């Protein structure tokens, strides 16, 4: 719940920022000189890119949560079998062991979105966020029946 609240607050602050920057871009364009119009257009590009990025991330989170809920209903969410340090952090060797198991499961059935979801969780536990995101994107694509890039 805390993560959802943090995401919502961050998204609201970003939208406020995009509106603020966008209004400044419009004001620059309304000035009418070549330089201010050029700067105004350049300033308007930033909120457009930001809104696109925020939208794509929101879609990703929603889709990943949908898969998690479906997998939870099936009883297929990965069980937390990781050892932890005294400070509560995941033990690296333990994460590597679980990752090896999840990778083998995924290699055995590469068209099952459930395996890719669990692999994404294992990547995340091993602190490999870029690969975790790619694995989750693949799980979402497989779940939705979209073509998957190799």
């Amino acid at each position: 719940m805390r993560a959802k609240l943090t995401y919502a607050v961050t998204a609201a602050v970003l939208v406020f920022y995009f509106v603020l920057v966008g209004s400044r871009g419009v004001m620059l364009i309304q000035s009418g000189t070549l330089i201010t119009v050029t700067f105004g257009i350049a300033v308007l590009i930033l909120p457009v890119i930001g809104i696109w990025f925020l939208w794509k991330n929101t879609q990703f989170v929603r889709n990943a949560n949908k898969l998690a809920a479906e997998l939870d209903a099936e009883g297929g969410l990965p069980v937390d079998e990781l050892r932890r340090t005294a400070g509560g952090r995941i033990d690296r060797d333990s994460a590597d062991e679980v990752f090896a198991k999840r990778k083998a499961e995924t290699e055995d059935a590469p068209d099952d979105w459930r395996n890719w979801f669990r692999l994404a969780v294992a990547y995340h536990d091993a602190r490999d966020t870029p690969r975790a995101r790619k694995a989750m994107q693949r799980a979402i694509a497989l779940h939705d029946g979209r073509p998957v890039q190799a």
Side-chain angles (χ1 to χ4, degrees), residues 12-29:
V13 169
L14 282 171
V15 168
F16 175 75
Y17 170 77
F18 298 150
V19 169
L20 185 66
V21 169
S23 68
R24 298 298 184 245
V26 169
M27 287 190 322
L28 283 168
I29 290 171

Side-chain angles (χ1 to χ4, degrees), residues 122-138:
Y123 270 125
H124 183 268
D125 290 341
R127 298 186 198 120
D128 192 345
T129 305
R131 287 192 177 124
R133 188 172 182 88
K134 290 252 187 233
M136 187 61 73
Q137 287 170 340
R138 188 173 188 121

